[in-house]
Amino acid sequence: MSPRKFFVGGNWKMNGDKKSLGELIKTLNTATLNPDTEVVCGAPSIYLDFARSTLDSKIGVAAQNCYKVAKGAFTGEISPAMIKDCGVEWVILGHSERRHVFGESDELIGQKVAHALESGLGVIACIGEKLDEREAGITEKVVFAQTKVIADNVKDWSKVVIAYEPVWAIGTGKTASPQQAQEVHEKLRQWMATNISEAMANSVRIIYGGSVTGGTCKELASQKDVDGFLVGGASLKPEFVDIINARA
């Protein structure tokens, strides 16, 4: 079995209110969760304090984005310093919705990764190709380029989880087959071994995201280079517990 601790992140995106999230949190707090799995919930920024104060301390909380400096005249943004002040220890950066809906560049994502890590946050750094890129046969080129920009901004890999999310599988109901996921994860690990170091490649967690459900999670979790999941829609439902326990 892999020495890497299985990691399951729930990305709530722009969903929920105090009532529904409170019920979800109650479900998570009372469920039997595999103690060998690290669990982190990505809450909307306005609910970070609420999530951190109500979730059991064994479950981590993540912001879904942050800016690249600690404070200043950046209306509508939040900083790693503020995230930490709420007792939150993670941030999701480079999610495909940030890249493709809000136009965030590789360069900006790299700067955010550097600042978040310097501030002491853990980073769930997202990469992934669009459908036209997969069909053009350039998946590797795209994900290696995205990974390089992240890698150039990381000094301490122990605080980084890489989330591979093929954009064509996010929220579409299409999941990459376990074999497709394993193939990209394995190639990413080889790229890291060549371009960073063998030790880092063996220790960093590469998790899969893209329409992960209670039904698809077990077979995906059995792949040797799939170290967990970043879960969207299903993380708002009780089946998130089944996904957390995919390796139980």
Side-chain angles (χ1 to χ4, degrees):
M1 233 17 216
S2 159
R4 300 179 291 271
K5 184 166 186 168
F6 204 68
F7 184 102
V8 176
N11 180 8
W12 297 347
K13 305 191 180 181
M14 196 177 74
N15 291 299
D17 50 31
K18 281 189 175 173
K19 183 174 182 290
S20 64
L21 295 175
E23 285 163 8
L24 176 67
I25 287 167
K26 199 178 286 178
T27 301
L28 293 173
N29 285 349
T30 53
T32 305
L33 306 180
N34 182 352
D36 297 327
T37 296
E38 185 169 0
V39 183
V40 173
C41 292
S45 58
I46 200 163
Y47 296 136
L48 285 171
D49 220 347
F50 171 70
R52 183 62 288 166
S53 57
T54 50
L55 267 170
D56 190 291
S57 62
K58 70 176 183 286
I59 299 171
V61 176
Q64 298 174 13
N65 188 28
C66 68
Y67 198 50
K68 62 181 180 178
V69 292
K71 60 178 195 232
F74 302 102
T75 301
E77 293 290 322
I78 62 170
S79 70
M82 294 169 177
I83 293 166
K84 286 190 73 175
D85 193 38
C86 290
V88 171
E89 49 284 291
W90 290 90
V91 63
I92 300 169
L93 290 172
H95 191 278
S96 69
E97 287 147 9
R98 298 303 319 169
R99 294 174 187 269
H100 303 304
V101 181
F102 298 100
E104 291 191 10
S105 65
D106 270 341
E107 183 190 16
L108 175 61
I109 291 160
Q111 292 166 339
K112 289 181 175 195
V113 167
H115 179 63
L117 290 170
E118 280 159 14
S119 306
L121 283 179
V123 171
I124 301 166
C126 304
I127 58 173
E129 82 284 6
K130 301 201 295 268
L131 185 59
D132 57 345
E133 292 165 337
R134 175 163 279 266
E135 287 174 344
I138 57 170
T139 293
E140 283 168 53
K141 185 179 160 203
V142 170
V143 298
F144 291 169
Q146 290 170 336
T147 305
K148 184 180 187 321
V149 177
I150 292 161
D152 288 345
N153 287 284
V154 176
K155 294 187 180 80
D156 176 9
W157 281 95
S158 70
K159 305 278 284 190
V160 179
V161 171
I162 296 286
Y164 167 61
E165 298 200 296
V167 180
W168 48 272
I170 297 175
T172 58
K174 291 181 184 158
T175 312
S177 71
Q179 294 70 33
Q180 282 173 317
Q182 167 58 24
E183 183 186 8
V184 176
H185 284 229
E186 186 176 13
K187 286 185 171 145
L188 275 168
R189 217 177 286 288
Q190 287 165 355
W191 184 92
M192 290 166 177
T194 305
N195 293 277
I196 303 162
S197 78
E198 190 90 37
M200 171 268 163
N202 289 331
S203 65
V204 78
R205 291 172 292 183
I206 306 175
I207 63 176
Y208 170 78
S211 299
V212 177
T213 64
T216 57
C217 64
K218 273 209 170 345
E219 200 188 345
L220 280 161
S222 69
Q223 304 299 310
K224 107 176 150 58
D225 288 295
V226 175
D227 301 315
F229 305 114
L230 187 56
V231 185
S235 70
L236 293 156
K237 302 173 189 162
E239 74 180 283
F240 187 50
V241 173
D242 302 328
I243 299 171
I244 292 167
N245 294 332
R247 275 206 179 155

